[in-house]
């Protein structure tokens, strides 16, 4: 299916949810996750009007970056090894996977400007999911107060892959509650106004629970090379 057709289907669903819960569509950004697809598919998505793109590996990101460059907004959404920070930093616009102090230290060291970061939170408690536990978030934010290059725009989570909507919803609600706690601190370096949550199979629930960045791969650009 063309990106244009997929996008129209997704847009219709987003608009339906927004109408139902009275949210403004303008406050929801859609990131096309292109980790499974070719640069040609990225070009097609650009033609379809998509401006935010997400990659989860340094190599995959750089392959796309070399051909597409800074004409779109790039989001790094994958687990980031400390030694790979230098390969992506100052090229990506957002990092969604800040999950430990050593990574913040490396970003601080390598960045030549303030880097917009989401703290990745493990809201499901599943061992296999990356991200810090919810109670580590505020202590972590306090620890990075002097990191002038690390700017906390929001929180990110991945819900478990399950058909149980209540489990998914409770993950997203946990992230929202945590966001409110961070916002109550009123920190200039951590306004935490955004929530990165919702993928192909759960973005409608994420919108209902306050997502401002959706990360959509398979159902938008596909998942085959
Ligand atoms: C792959 C990926 C997505 C997109 O997943 P789909 O189910 O294909 O929409 C979103 N977020 C992260 C962190 C990913 O790795």
């Amino acid at each position: 299916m063309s990106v244009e057709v997929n996008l129209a289907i997704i847009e219709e669903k987003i608009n339906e949810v927004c109408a139902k819960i009275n949210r403004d569509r303008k406050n929801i950004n859609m990131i096309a996750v292109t980790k499974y697809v070719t640069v040609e598919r990225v070009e097609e998505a650009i033609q379809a009007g998509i401006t935010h793109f997400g990659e989860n590996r340094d190599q995959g990101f750089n392959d796309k970056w070399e051909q597409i460059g800074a004409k779109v907004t790039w989001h790094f959404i994958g687990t980031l090894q400390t030694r790979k920070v230098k390969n992506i930093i100052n090229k990506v616009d957002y990092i969604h996977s800040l999950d430990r102090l050593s990574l913040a230290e490396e970003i601080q060291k390598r960045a030549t400007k303030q880097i917009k970061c989401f703290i990745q939170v493990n809201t499901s408690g599943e061992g296999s999911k990356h991200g810090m536990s919810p109670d580590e978030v505020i202590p972590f934010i306090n620890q990075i107060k002097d990191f002038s290059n690390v700017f906390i725009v929001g929180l990110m989570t991945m819900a478990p892959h399950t058909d149980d909507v209540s489990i998914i919803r409770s993950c997203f609600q946990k992230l929202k509650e945590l966001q409110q706690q961070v916002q109550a601190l009123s920190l200039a370096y951590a306004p935490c106004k955004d929530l990165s949550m919702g993928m192909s199979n759960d973005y409608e629930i994420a919108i209902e629970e306050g997502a401002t960045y959706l990360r959509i791969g398979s159902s938008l650009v596909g998942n085959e090379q």
Side-chain angles (χ1 to χ4, degrees):
M1 214 89 93
S2 71
V3 177
E4 197 180 354
V5 168
N6 291 338
L7 180 61
I9 294 167
I10 295 170
E11 276 299 334
E12 194 176 311
K13 289 188 182 159
I14 292 175
N15 286 325
E16 265 171 37
V17 180
C18 285
K20 187 173 85 183
I21 60 168
N22 215 357
R23 269 196 78 180
D24 188 344
R25 169 70 186 86
K26 286 202 277 307
N27 297 329
I28 300 163
N29 300 286
M30 194 193 315
I31 301 169
V33 176
T34 49
K35 65 189 185 196
Y36 312 110
V37 300
T38 60
V39 71
E40 287 73 28
R41 196 69 166 162
V42 177
E43 294 284 8
E44 189 192 332
I46 294 170
Q47 289 303 315
I50 292 170
T51 57
H52 292 272
F53 289 86
E55 284 285 333
N56 71 336
R57 300 221 193 284
D58 67 319
Q59 185 63 52
F61 163 70
N62 275 297
D63 290 348
K64 307 261 172 38
W65 166 266
E66 275 161 27
Q67 304 199 47
I68 311 277
K71 69 181 175 201
V72 300
T73 302
W74 287 105
H75 298 257
F76 193 86
I77 62 169
T79 303
L80 186 52
Q81 289 172 275
T82 307
R83 66 189 169 84
K84 301 225 163 131
V85 167
K86 61 177 181 306
N87 302 344
I88 63 145
I89 199 90
N90 304 315
K91 295 186 230 172
V92 296
D93 297 287
Y94 292 84
I95 293 175
H96 289 240
S97 47
L98 178 55
D99 61 356
R100 59 193 189 278
L101 189 61
S102 59
L103 184 55
E105 284 167 350
E106 184 68 7
I107 293 169
Q108 172 63 22
K109 181 172 141 194
R110 301 275 180 183
T112 57
K113 58 179 178 188
Q114 227 177 27
I115 306 295
K116 299 185 201 100
C117 298
F118 288 84
I119 297 173
Q120 186 171 353
V121 186
N122 180 346
T123 50
S124 68
E126 273 186 291
S128 62
K129 289 276 181 298
H130 291 277
M132 61 179 74
S133 73
D135 29 304
E136 289 172 320
V137 172
I138 287 177
F140 172 76
I141 287 176
N142 290 327
Q143 278 178 311
I144 60 166
K145 69 176 189 311
D146 297 323
F147 288 35
S148 53
N149 291 334
V150 180
F151 188 66
I152 305 298
V153 294
L155 305 178
M156 179 274 219
T157 201
M158 286 173 85
H161 202 86
T162 169
D163 292 332
D164 188 337
V165 170
S166 67
I167 293 176
I168 296 171
R169 193 179 296 284
S170 84
C171 288
F172 294 158
Q173 287 172 341
K174 224 178 262 175
L175 201 69
K176 177 80 197 178
E177 279 165 30
L178 202 50
Q179 178 199 32
Q180 286 165 341
Q181 291 170 24
V182 177
Q183 286 181 327
L185 304 174
S186 301
L187 300 169
Y189 67 94
C192 207
K193 142 182 121 34
D194 288 306
L195 289 176
S196 168
M197 57 191 198
M199 315 191 348
S200 289
N201 61 332
D202 58 18
Y203 67 86
E204 290 161 278
I205 307 167
I207 295 168
E208 289 175 355
E209 300 305 332
T212 62
Y213 282 90
L214 312 173
R215 308 179 312 267
I216 307 184
S218 335
S219 66
L220 179 57
V221 292
N223 55 15
E224 291 169 70
Q225 291 276 349

